[in-house]
Amino acid sequence: YGEEGLIMAYLILCSGLTSAQHTKKVLARSCIGGYIVRPPQEIAAEGCGYAVEVKESQFESAVRIIRDCRLTFRKVFRKDGTMYTEVSV
């Protein structure tokens, strides 16, 4: 990941810090790395201040695991440098 963060990644916006921590832990058990991050204000949904950032190469697996475990999330954004695009999953 590095100091500058990922160039291509996905942010999975969670309902809060506890939800983000739980999501990260579930993904880690399936060997999917992720970081808890504070999303930029312009994409934070209804005051949501935490997201799990995952590599683009692991995104589809991450979503499958999240759904299989019946975890919830608010929105998903694709991060390309400093640009964010909402994606439907």
Side-chain angles (χ1 to χ4, degrees), residues 3-63:
E3 300 251 341
E4 297 298 313
L6 290 174
I7 300 300
M8 299 284 245
Y10 285 86
L11 294 182
I12 301 167
L13 274 60
C14 299
S15 60
L17 178 58
T18 302
S19 175
Q21 290 171 329
H22 184 64
T23 299
K24 179 182 181 282
K25 186 183 294 185
V26 168
L27 293 175
R29 283 191 213 132
S30 297
C31 298
I32 294 179
Y35 286 98
I36 295 174
V37 298
R38 299 292 307 252
Q41 198 71 301
E42 65 267 18
I43 68 168
E46 300 164 11
C48 170
Y50 295 92
V52 177
E53 181 172 320
V54 296
K55 292 180 182 179
E56 184 176 36
S57 62
Q58 296 180 316
F59 174 67
E60 289 182 23
S61 296
V63 170

